[in-house]
Amino acid sequence: MTEVLTPIAFIDLGAQRRRLGSKIDNAIMSVINSGTFIMGPEVKAFERQLASFGQAKFALSCANGTEAIVLPLMAWGIKPRDAVFCPSFTFAATAEVVPWLGATPVFVDIDPDTYNMDPAHLEATILQTIAEGKLVPKVIIAVDLFGQAANYPAIAEIARKYNLKLIADSAQGFGCTINGEHPIKWADVTTTSFFPAKPLGCYGDGGAMLTNDETLYDLMDSLRVHGKAVKSDLAGKNFEHDPKYLNVRIGMNSRLDTVQAAILIEKLAIFAEEIELRNQVAARYNDGLADLVCVPKVIQGGLSTWAQYTIEVSDRDGLAAFAKLRGIPTAVYYPIPIHKQNVYSGYPKGPGGLPVSESKASKVISLPMHPYLDIATQKIVIETVRQYVLGNDR
Ligand SMILES: *Cc1c(COP(=O)(O)O)cnc(C)c1O
């Protein structure tokens, strides 16, 4: 048995903190000393850098990755009787925002190799919804699960065919590409989360939307700050006060704190390198495990940000317990697909139900993954998985 003395981190935020050191301290202190806690200059500066990183014309920050999904839905006027197609094998937030607006999430199954939305089942689900005639298809939310891009070329073609909007929920995958292209090449809007454990995280809650559509950008900018008047609302009007106090639509408060923007500027500066490091960690896992267990498959031409490194074993709870005894943390994303959660079980599903989502939920287990996972520590993780599988799984 391998003795592990220092605990192994599932995601080692401390290693990144040590690397960035005084840069983070200075960024935070500079905001505190400036006093511009809300919508300070760092917010705009970060948005510009984020847009450039994600190859989009515009980026708009917001309070979290959940509201980043609801803001475009609000901007498009999604309402009761509207259908929003989304996967069920994802974090609840993807579907949760749809009933906020009185609309209906319609669940689509996943591709067994990538865990991302299955384009063929998506189209079958849209056709079923049209045939039933109770809901009006409006939006597709694809998710970049575990860090890799959904099959956007195929999904975007379906979105165009049925005249639907496409959201890329890239909370886990921001920075992922297909043949060098970010999801915004295909989606109307890419959304992300800066929850600390995401590949690009801050030190609290945060989120953002990226788009090439200026009208959508303006509407989301308005909705993010209580429906304030934006430039197009003011055209030809005479309003001599702060446009914040001309409220032309029902919005909300979903701002990113200036302190978080200042932290994110420092983290974004090393993000490309961290994605590269994450890919090296993933490659080492593949080398060490592919002969024994089902390892992740990345879409052709795809670059994953590896929010998670997820394998499949037949007795994943046994593996989790075995690893825990040896000081190795693991996690299960996700043990229950959303359509199987009680509160979501009444919403419609595509034809034939979601057998792939249900089967994957009982097999997946994620291993420690972060850019600073050193080779020696990773070897312990790999050896532990191998020992367990060789002893129990076959
Ligand atoms: C984390 C996550 C969200 C929500 O982000 P928050 O910032 O926690 O609100 C949405 N979708 C997916 C796929 C996520 O993983």
mmCIF file of all heavy atoms in Angstrom, residues 64-66 69 90-91 93-94 143 169 171-172 193-195 198 205-206 334, ligand 1:
data_model
loop_
_atom_site.group_PDB
_atom_site.id
_atom_site.type_symbol
_atom_site.label_atom_id
_atom_site.label_comp_id
_atom_site.label_asym_id
_atom_site.label_seq_id
_atom_site.Cartn_x
_atom_site.Cartn_y
_atom_site.Cartn_z
ATOM 1 N N ASN A 64 -22.277 35.973 -11.645
ATOM 2 C CA ASN A 64 -21.958 34.540 -11.553
ATOM 3 C C ASN A 64 -22.312 33.868 -12.878
ATOM 4 O O ASN A 64 -22.949 34.460 -13.746
ATOM 5 C CB ASN A 64 -22.708 33.879 -10.377
ATOM 6 C CG ASN A 64 -24.197 34.111 -10.459
ATOM 7 O OD1 ASN A 64 -24.856 33.602 -11.361
ATOM 8 N ND2 ASN A 64 -24.746 34.895 -9.547
ATOM 9 N N GLY A 65 -21.916 32.605 -12.990
ATOM 10 C CA GLY A 65 -22.117 31.879 -14.243
ATOM 11 C C GLY A 65 -23.562 31.483 -14.492
ATOM 12 O O GLY A 65 -23.936 31.163 -15.622
ATOM 13 N N THR A 66 -24.372 31.473 -13.445
ATOM 14 C CA THR A 66 -25.789 31.157 -13.605
ATOM 15 C C THR A 66 -26.508 32.349 -14.246
ATOM 16 O O THR A 66 -27.248 32.180 -15.233
ATOM 17 C CB THR A 66 -26.409 30.827 -12.225
ATOM 18 O OG1 THR A 66 -25.628 29.803 -11.604
ATOM 19 C CG2 THR A 66 -27.839 30.364 -12.370
ATOM 20 N N ILE A 69 -26.164 32.944 -17.894
ATOM 21 C CA ILE A 69 -27.034 32.196 -18.818
ATOM 22 C C ILE A 69 -28.416 32.842 -18.892
ATOM 23 O O ILE A 69 -29.042 32.891 -19.954
ATOM 24 C CB ILE A 69 -27.171 30.710 -18.398
ATOM 25 C CG1 ILE A 69 -25.789 30.084 -18.170
ATOM 26 C CG2 ILE A 69 -27.923 29.907 -19.457
ATOM 27 C CD1 ILE A 69 -25.854 28.691 -17.541
ATOM 28 N N THR A 90 -25.205 17.718 -16.590
ATOM 29 C CA THR A 90 -24.519 18.995 -16.414
ATOM 30 C C THR A 90 -24.841 19.496 -15.022
ATOM 31 O O THR A 90 -25.631 18.884 -14.304
ATOM 32 C CB THR A 90 -24.968 20.020 -17.485
ATOM 33 O OG1 THR A 90 -24.373 21.297 -17.212
ATOM 34 C CG2 THR A 90 -26.475 20.208 -17.501
ATOM 35 N N PHE A 91 -24.247 20.618 -14.639
ATOM 36 C CA PHE A 91 -24.586 21.253 -13.378
ATOM 37 C C PHE A 91 -25.976 21.887 -13.498
ATOM 38 O O PHE A 91 -26.347 22.392 -14.554
ATOM 39 C CB PHE A 91 -23.524 22.315 -13.048
ATOM 40 C CG PHE A 91 -23.754 22.996 -11.734
ATOM 41 C CD1 PHE A 91 -23.801 22.259 -10.560
ATOM 42 C CD2 PHE A 91 -23.913 24.363 -11.665
ATOM 43 C CE1 PHE A 91 -24.018 22.891 -9.345
ATOM 44 C CE2 PHE A 91 -24.123 25.000 -10.453
ATOM 45 C CZ PHE A 91 -24.175 24.258 -9.291
ATOM 46 N N ALA A 93 -27.394 24.563 -12.869
ATOM 47 C CA ALA A 93 -27.584 25.946 -13.306
ATOM 48 C C ALA A 93 -27.974 26.040 -14.782
ATOM 49 O O ALA A 93 -28.739 26.936 -15.170
ATOM 50 C CB ALA A 93 -26.303 26.747 -13.069
ATOM 51 N N THR A 94 -27.468 25.114 -15.611
ATOM 52 C CA THR A 94 -27.747 25.156 -17.045
ATOM 53 C C THR A 94 -29.252 25.157 -17.308
ATOM 54 O O THR A 94 -29.744 25.929 -18.140
ATOM 55 C CB THR A 94 -27.121 23.925 -17.747
ATOM 56 O OG1 THR A 94 -25.737 23.849 -17.420
ATOM 57 C CG2 THR A 94 -27.289 24.006 -19.250
ATOM 58 N N VAL A 143 -23.408 22.673 -23.518
ATOM 59 C CA VAL A 143 -22.490 22.796 -22.384
ATOM 60 C C VAL A 143 -21.130 22.215 -22.771
ATOM 61 O O VAL A 143 -21.062 21.161 -23.415
ATOM 62 C CB VAL A 143 -23.055 22.054 -21.155
ATOM 63 C CG1 VAL A 143 -22.068 22.058 -19.998
ATOM 64 C CG2 VAL A 143 -24.385 22.663 -20.720
ATOM 65 N N ASP A 169 -22.701 27.266 -22.930
ATOM 66 C CA ASP A 169 -22.438 27.344 -21.483
ATOM 67 C C ASP A 169 -21.033 26.800 -21.254
ATOM 68 O O ASP A 169 -20.817 25.598 -21.133
ATOM 69 C CB ASP A 169 -23.493 26.539 -20.713
ATOM 70 C CG ASP A 169 -23.195 26.470 -19.202
ATOM 71 O OD1 ASP A 169 -22.158 27.023 -18.775
ATOM 72 O OD2 ASP A 169 -23.998 25.858 -18.473
ATOM 73 N N ALA A 171 -18.961 27.450 -18.734
ATOM 74 C CA ALA A 171 -18.518 27.658 -17.350
ATOM 75 C C ALA A 171 -17.309 26.774 -17.032
ATOM 76 O O ALA A 171 -16.399 27.177 -16.317
ATOM 77 C CB ALA A 171 -19.653 27.366 -16.379
ATOM 78 N N GLN A 172 -17.310 25.565 -17.574
ATOM 79 C CA GLN A 172 -16.183 24.655 -17.334
ATOM 80 C C GLN A 172 -15.161 24.718 -18.458
ATOM 81 O O GLN A 172 -14.018 24.327 -18.268
ATOM 82 C CB GLN A 172 -16.706 23.210 -17.206
ATOM 83 C CG GLN A 172 -17.693 23.056 -16.060
ATOM 84 C CD GLN A 172 -18.217 21.631 -15.902
ATOM 85 O OE1 GLN A 172 -17.632 20.675 -16.399
ATOM 86 N NE2 GLN A 172 -19.330 21.504 -15.199
ATOM 87 N N SER A 193 -18.287 31.071 -15.973
ATOM 88 C CA SER A 193 -18.352 31.276 -14.527
ATOM 89 C C SER A 193 -16.942 31.447 -14.000
ATOM 90 O O SER A 193 -16.019 30.769 -14.456
ATOM 91 C CB SER A 193 -18.993 30.052 -13.870
ATOM 92 O OG SER A 193 -18.682 30.004 -12.481
ATOM 93 N N PHE A 194 -16.794 32.339 -13.031
ATOM 94 C CA PHE A 194 -15.496 32.493 -12.358
ATOM 95 C C PHE A 194 -15.524 31.934 -10.939
ATOM 96 O O PHE A 194 -14.736 32.344 -10.090
ATOM 97 C CB PHE A 194 -15.066 33.969 -12.365
ATOM 98 C CG PHE A 194 -15.026 34.576 -13.731
ATOM 99 C CD1 PHE A 194 -15.742 35.742 -14.021
ATOM 100 C CD2 PHE A 194 -14.292 33.992 -14.752
ATOM 101 C CE1 PHE A 194 -15.722 36.300 -15.281
ATOM 102 C CE2 PHE A 194 -14.264 34.547 -16.027
ATOM 103 C CZ PHE A 194 -14.981 35.709 -16.290
ATOM 104 N N PHE A 195 -16.459 31.021 -10.677
ATOM 105 C CA PHE A 195 -16.447 30.263 -9.419
ATOM 106 C C PHE A 195 -15.015 29.756 -9.205
ATOM 107 O O PHE A 195 -14.364 29.330 -10.159
ATOM 108 C CB PHE A 195 -17.442 29.097 -9.561
ATOM 109 C CG PHE A 195 -17.593 28.246 -8.337
ATOM 110 C CD1 PHE A 195 -18.480 28.596 -7.331
ATOM 111 C CD2 PHE A 195 -16.850 27.074 -8.191
ATOM 112 C CE1 PHE A 195 -18.619 27.796 -6.208
ATOM 113 C CE2 PHE A 195 -16.986 26.279 -7.063
ATOM 114 C CZ PHE A 195 -17.871 26.651 -6.067
ATOM 115 N N LYS A 198 -13.438 26.716 -11.090
ATOM 116 C CA LYS A 198 -13.463 26.612 -12.555
ATOM 117 C C LYS A 198 -12.056 26.886 -13.089
ATOM 118 O O LYS A 198 -11.255 27.539 -12.416
ATOM 119 C CB LYS A 198 -14.443 27.618 -13.151
ATOM 120 C CG LYS A 198 -15.821 27.609 -12.519
ATOM 121 C CD LYS A 198 -16.724 26.499 -13.016
ATOM 122 C CE LYS A 198 -18.032 26.551 -12.234
ATOM 123 N NZ LYS A 198 -19.071 25.673 -12.709
ATOM 124 N N ASP A 205 -17.617 34.831 -6.260
ATOM 125 C CA ASP A 205 -18.494 34.550 -7.393
ATOM 126 C C ASP A 205 -18.251 35.550 -8.509
ATOM 127 O O ASP A 205 -17.953 36.727 -8.257
ATOM 128 C CB ASP A 205 -19.965 34.645 -6.953
ATOM 129 C CG ASP A 205 -20.464 33.341 -6.331
ATOM 130 O OD1 ASP A 205 -20.261 32.282 -6.959
ATOM 131 O OD2 ASP A 205 -21.043 33.396 -5.235
ATOM 132 N N GLY A 206 -18.411 35.083 -9.745
ATOM 133 C CA GLY A 206 -18.299 35.970 -10.894
ATOM 134 C C GLY A 206 -18.702 35.219 -12.143
ATOM 135 O O GLY A 206 -18.765 33.983 -12.142
ATOM 136 N N TYR A 334 -21.683 13.889 -12.712
ATOM 137 C CA TYR A 334 -22.658 14.211 -11.704
ATOM 138 C C TYR A 334 -23.371 12.931 -11.336
ATOM 139 O O TYR A 334 -23.677 12.148 -12.232
ATOM 140 C CB TYR A 334 -23.641 15.240 -12.266
ATOM 141 C CG TYR A 334 -22.934 16.572 -12.524
ATOM 142 C CD1 TYR A 334 -22.359 16.843 -13.761
ATOM 143 C CD2 TYR A 334 -22.796 17.509 -11.506
ATOM 144 C CE1 TYR A 334 -21.672 18.036 -13.976
ATOM 145 C CE2 TYR A 334 -22.122 18.707 -11.728
ATOM 146 C CZ TYR A 334 -21.554 18.951 -12.957
ATOM 147 O OH TYR A 334 -20.865 20.113 -13.164
HETATM 148 C C1 LIG B 1 -20.468 26.209 -12.529
HETATM 149 C C2 LIG B 1 -21.419 26.095 -13.647
HETATM 150 C C3 LIG B 1 -22.454 27.028 -13.859
HETATM 151 C C4 LIG B 1 -22.810 28.102 -12.870
HETATM 152 O O1 LIG B 1 -21.812 28.949 -12.480
HETATM 153 P P1 LIG B 1 -21.913 29.742 -11.085
HETATM 154 O O2 LIG B 1 -20.873 30.795 -11.231
HETATM 155 O O3 LIG B 1 -21.634 28.783 -9.991
HETATM 156 O O4 LIG B 1 -23.273 30.338 -10.991
HETATM 157 C C5 LIG B 1 -23.240 26.882 -14.987
HETATM 158 N N1 LIG B 1 -23.051 25.883 -15.852
HETATM 159 C C6 LIG B 1 -22.098 24.956 -15.677
HETATM 160 C C7 LIG B 1 -21.924 23.874 -16.693
HETATM 161 C C8 LIG B 1 -21.254 25.016 -14.565
HETATM 162 O O5 LIG B 1 -20.318 24.080 -14.393
#
